[in-house]
Amino acid sequence: MNANSLIEDKFMLDKASTSLSRRQRDRLLRQADILKAAEHVFALKGYYEATMQDIAKEAQYATGTVYLYFKDKDALYLSLVESKYKDLLSILKEETSKTQSVRVKLEILIREKLSFFERNRDFFRIFISERNKSVGRFHKLAVVSQHREFIAQLIGLAQEEHILRKEYPCEKIAEIFISILMSVVFNWLKDENKREKDLTRMSGFVLNMFINGAGKN
């Protein structure tokens, strides 16, 4: 599956051309163009240095056109975050549905999340640096809640099969699980010179630490 929804959106629009009006197609295509341009500009200049004018120039639209779709840079940035998380959630649902084994589902979940962050490293370097400043708005995004709920459901299945302990709420375990993964990604991103080229190589280690812990039996 292609993880870049900004490209996929155009492909899906072609397939849906019979059900969308010309105006609707044009609007969605422009929005996808602007989001793709914003991702490139944010990665190149950083969030604070990037301007709406820069993004408009990259998208080859007038600045006023960009403001028709996004009221300001912050709204554009959050829309880009939402787009990325929709991509990620779609990948996780598709890939984990290919097996009935809950443990394998967990392995796939970790591998695909780390792989996704690796493929989108430039964007997520900015995202992590801005996350604490916009945490309230970030958690209000519906897709972020859906992402947490999906992981909590998978944790619940693991509890039912006695892979994980049942005395703790699956939602709380899911929060810890997400925090572990984000910590791994953060440390990988911040160390440009020493980091492993392949972040997904850590997926087995993360799964083992999550399920078995660091304590000696």
Side-chain angles (χ1 to χ4, degrees):
M1 178 178 179
N2 188 345
N4 192 341
S5 68
L6 304 181
I7 296 175
E8 284 184 347
D9 284 345
K10 293 188 177 185
F11 174 71
M12 294 304 293
L13 281 173
D14 289 338
K15 292 180 67 176
S17 60
T18 57
S19 60
L20 291 174
S21 69
R22 175 68 179 270
R23 178 175 292 182
Q24 288 172 317
R25 293 199 306 273
D26 287 346
R27 181 175 180 81
L28 290 174
L29 283 168
R30 287 194 190 100
Q31 187 172 10
D33 285 341
I34 294 167
L35 286 172
K36 185 177 181 180
E39 181 177 1
H40 177 76
V41 172
F42 285 144
L44 186 65
K45 292 192 169 186
Y47 177 80
Y48 285 106
E49 294 298 322
T51 67
M52 293 291 271
Q53 290 77 14
D54 293 330
I55 294 166
K57 183 178 179 180
E58 178 69 22
Q60 298 183 347
Y61 291 130
T63 303
T65 300
V66 176
Y67 277 108
L68 287 175
Y69 291 87
F70 304 97
K71 67 177 183 178
D72 53 31
K73 185 173 69 172
D74 190 56
L76 201 166
Y77 172 74
L78 287 176
S79 292
L80 186 54
V81 172
E82 184 177 34
S83 174
K84 289 293 182 183
Y85 264 79
K86 284 181 178 178
D87 283 346
L88 176 58
L89 184 58
S90 177
I91 291 169
L92 295 180
K93 287 182 175 180
E94 179 177 337
E95 295 302 317
T96 57
S97 69
K98 295 178 179 179
T99 180
Q100 295 299 314
S101 167
V102 176
R103 187 182 180 93
V104 175
K105 285 179 184 290
L106 287 172
E107 292 175 358
I108 291 171
L109 178 72
I110 294 171
R111 185 182 69 243
E112 292 299 332
K113 278 179 70 74
L114 294 181
S115 176
F116 187 80
F117 283 118
E118 185 175 13
R119 292 195 304 274
N120 295 274
R121 67 184 70 182
D122 290 337
F123 171 77
F124 282 106
R125 187 182 298 111
I126 298 167
F127 167 71
I128 288 176
S129 68
E130 295 301 316
R131 189 167 180 264
N132 291 335
K133 301 180 183 69
S134 58
V135 65
R137 289 164 294 165
F138 168 74
H139 284 295
K140 288 180 181 178
L141 293 175
V143 69
V144 174
S145 297
Q146 293 164 8
H147 174 256
R148 289 197 304 267
E149 290 168 4
F150 176 75
I151 292 178
Q153 290 170 2
L154 190 53
I155 295 296
L157 291 175
Q159 288 176 314
E160 290 175 9
E161 294 200 3
H162 305 289
I163 297 171
L164 298 173
R165 295 162 65 173
K166 298 185 68 173
E167 61 264 38
Y168 303 113
C170 60
E171 294 83 5
K172 292 296 183 183
I173 298 177
E175 289 177 9
I176 294 171
F177 179 71
I178 293 170
S179 296
I180 291 171
L181 283 172
M182 291 306 296
S183 178
V184 169
V185 172
F186 174 77
N187 287 317
W188 178 76
L189 284 174
K190 75 177 183 179
D191 197 344
E192 291 283 350
N193 297 321
K194 297 179 181 178
R195 74 183 182 203
E196 291 285 337
K197 292 183 179 180
D198 187 0
L199 179 61
T200 57
R201 274 192 249 175
M202 298 186 66
S203 58
F205 169 77
V206 173
L207 178 66
N208 185 54
M209 292 296 291
F210 176 66
I211 293 178
N212 301 314
K216 184 176 180 181
N217 291 332

